[in-house]
Amino acid sequence: MFFDPERRAALLTFGFLVTVDMWIWAYLGHLPGFLWPSWLILLLMLACLPLGGFLAARWSGGGVQKGAMVGLLASLLNLLILGSLLKEAGSWATLFLCGNLLLGVLLGGLGGFLSRDSGDWEAPDWNSGFTAVVSLSTFFLLVAGGLVTSKEAGLAVPDWPNSFGTNMFFYPLSKMSGGIFYEHSHRLLGSLVGLGCLVLALHLSASRVSSRLKRMAWFVLLAVSFQGLLGGLRVTGNLTLSQEAADLSPSILLAMVHGVFGQLVFALLVMAAVLMSRSWRVREEKSDRSERRALNLLIAALLLQLSLGVLVRHLAWGLWIHIAGALLVFLVGLTVAARFWEHAEKRGLFRPMGKGLAALLVLQLCLGVIAAIVIFTPLRENSTGLEVLVSTGHQALGALLLALVFSLRAWASRKETV
């Protein structure tokens, strides 16, 4: 199974998807101030295993075997956050490890056993599916990073790549509270994204895809690695394992670059998923030169607005310029969206993408208005939670906007007309 590229891609897609889903539940359940009962978090996480095995077997075949493999892969990936429990288990570590893997196999296999053949349902291109799952994990990482900034927790852990002098994969989960939770969980999520990009590059290199896609996968891996280095140096200022303040020089400039570059990496991953999709191979959407120019202008405006937003978030500078830029992006974006959904019967994928762009623009503007109300009225004094929610959501929606426009620009170049 693992040596066949298509089956391997399906296994990786569902294995990583189950892992991301489990981590989302764990993250939400442990948010400071919103703690869920431990039994509920565990139940929701374990439920992802049979569900993932069921979907994998139903949509890609393989029955019990496929479900069990998905469960095993997810359990292996979960060791990234279970390392501290293995360390604390001491002499019981081997038993704990085997139990974790066996539970994944049994629950995943159960889901595969309950599945039925999907009939004539057309499965997606699993290379595109796996890239989409890596994109999802990257978006999750962006949201977690936004909460780090909103909660001013970027320096809650003083050293890097260690956490308080301990290998970050063995740092006790019981000590992850307050700002440490936001910062340390962000690091663990980053390791999952990095591993996903590495596996994606290796998988595509051994698959029957174009050399352009293989190069793109390795480029994304380099970009993600650089992004991780930026995040680490933002904390320490230089390459050191020291926790002493005298040896550290945290950089707000690198924090801002880290914020902008992360959204670019996400947009590249989404565009890579588009380039690997079955629709990309069979459709021939047409655009003219004016539409491509309009998209280039919108991308430039979004990047400028993103940079201004980072200045507002980290330095509390340029708010009014950012508001003016938002109006510019909104007007340019709506114009572009309208161009791509006109003549709907002849526009193919451009119609839903244009409508999606318009919807995201309206939502983003609404979040901006809510943020302005919170900032410029007495609400700010008693609405810390609302301000965090709105600012983080505003950042996440901006990342989705950028990714959608990048994808639209790729489609606009699929078959160019003058």
Side-chain angles (χ1 to χ4, degrees):
M1 177 186 295
F2 199 75
F3 294 101
D4 178 81
E6 185 175 352
R7 293 183 177 181
R8 181 175 66 237
L11 173 62
L12 292 173
T13 298
F14 287 102
F16 272 85
L17 179 60
V18 169
T19 305
V20 173
D21 289 341
M22 294 178 76
W23 285 36
I24 289 175
W25 286 123
Y27 186 86
L28 293 176
H30 287 92
L31 279 173
F34 302 93
L35 296 178
W36 300 354
S38 298
W39 64 266
L40 177 60
I41 299 173
L42 181 61
L43 180 63
L44 289 171
M45 292 179 67
L46 291 179
C48 294
L49 290 165
L51 179 59
F54 175 87
L55 295 177
R58 180 171 177 80
W59 288 346
S60 62
V64 175
Q65 182 185 10
K66 177 60 73 63
M69 290 292 289
V70 167
L72 176 61
L73 177 56
S75 296
L76 288 171
L77 292 171
N78 280 331
L79 292 177
L80 291 174
I81 58 174
L82 297 179
S84 66
L85 297 182
L86 283 173
K87 183 178 180 180
E88 293 174 354
S91 59
W92 295 92
T94 301
L95 182 61
F96 177 85
L97 174 62
C98 294
N100 170 63
L101 298 180
L102 180 60
L103 184 62
V105 169
L106 291 176
L107 291 179
L110 175 63
F113 174 76
L114 296 174
S115 69
R116 294 293 184 271
D117 188 86
S118 58
D120 296 329
W121 189 84
E122 185 180 14
D125 186 301
W126 292 118
N127 288 328
S128 178
F130 181 34
T131 310
V133 170
V134 177
S135 301
L136 173 64
S137 66
T138 305
F139 181 71
F140 181 24
L141 177 62
L142 286 175
V143 174
L147 284 174
V148 170
T149 303
S150 298
K151 287 292 188 177
E152 299 180 352
L155 300 178
V157 181
D159 52 339
W160 178 85
N162 291 334
S163 294
F164 295 101
T166 301
N167 184 303
M168 73 172 185
F169 298 111
F170 296 126
Y171 184 75
L173 298 180
S174 59
K175 295 184 178 180
M176 290 175 58
S177 60
I180 296 176
F181 169 81
Y182 291 107
E183 170 61 13
H184 186 67
S185 60
H186 181 60
R187 296 183 181 191
L188 293 175
L189 288 169
S191 69
L192 179 63
V193 170
L195 180 59
C197 289
L198 173 61
V199 173
L200 176 64
L202 292 172
H203 163 70
L204 291 180
S205 295
S207 302
R208 295 182 292 271
V209 299
S210 68
S211 57
R212 179 181 66 170
L213 290 176
K214 293 178 181 179
R215 289 194 299 269
M216 188 173 187
W218 285 105
F219 176 78
V220 169
L221 175 61
L222 289 175
V224 167
S225 301
F226 180 67
Q227 173 72 350
L229 181 62
L230 282 176
L233 292 180
R234 175 269 184 276
V235 173
T236 63
N238 54 78
L239 295 174
T240 177
L241 297 178
S242 176
Q243 303 179 59
E244 301 298 326
D247 300 324
L248 305 174
S249 53
S251 172
I252 193 67
L253 175 61
L254 289 181
M256 293 188 291
V257 176
H258 183 68
V260 173
F261 195 69
Q263 298 207 19
L264 285 172
V265 172
F266 172 64
L268 283 175
L269 274 166
V270 172
M271 190 168 67
V274 169
L275 295 178
M276 279 184 268
S277 66
R278 181 174 286 110
S279 294
W280 180 264
R281 294 195 297 272
V282 301
R283 289 180 177 268
E284 291 187 351
E285 311 295 351
K286 297 180 180 180
S287 67
D288 58 39
R289 185 173 299 167
S290 64
E291 290 171 335
R292 297 192 296 275
R293 287 176 176 173
L295 279 170
N296 291 339
L297 176 61
L298 180 56
I299 289 174
L302 283 171
L303 291 176
L304 176 60
Q305 185 67 353
L306 172 59
S307 301
L308 290 171
V310 167
L311 287 173
V312 173
R313 293 263 282 168
H314 288 274
L315 299 179
W317 181 90
L319 178 60
W320 287 108
I321 302 176
H322 184 59
I323 291 175
L327 295 176
L328 173 63
V329 168
F330 184 74
L331 293 175
V332 173
L334 279 186
T335 302
V336 171
R339 286 291 302 274
F340 280 95
W341 86 53
E342 66 182 358
H343 308 303
E345 70 281 359
K346 299 180 181 179
R347 301 297 284 179
L349 286 174
F350 286 148
R351 182 189 184 191
M353 293 181 77
K355 288 189 173 183
L357 174 59
L360 287 179
L361 285 166
V362 172
L363 286 174
Q364 185 73 323
L365 184 65
C366 291
L367 280 178
V369 170
I370 295 174
I373 292 174
V374 172
I375 291 173
F376 294 116
T377 66
L379 284 174
R380 187 171 192 178
E381 298 177 3
N382 301 305
S383 59
T384 303
L386 178 61
E387 186 177 357
V388 168
L389 181 64
V390 171
S391 60
T392 304
H394 195 56
Q395 176 193 5
L397 203 55
L400 290 176
L401 263 173
L402 187 63
L404 177 59
V405 175
F406 265 56
S407 300
L408 191 53
R409 182 63 180 86
W411 275 114
S413 301
R414 181 67 177 88
K415 186 170 183 179
E416 300 180 352
T417 63
V418 295

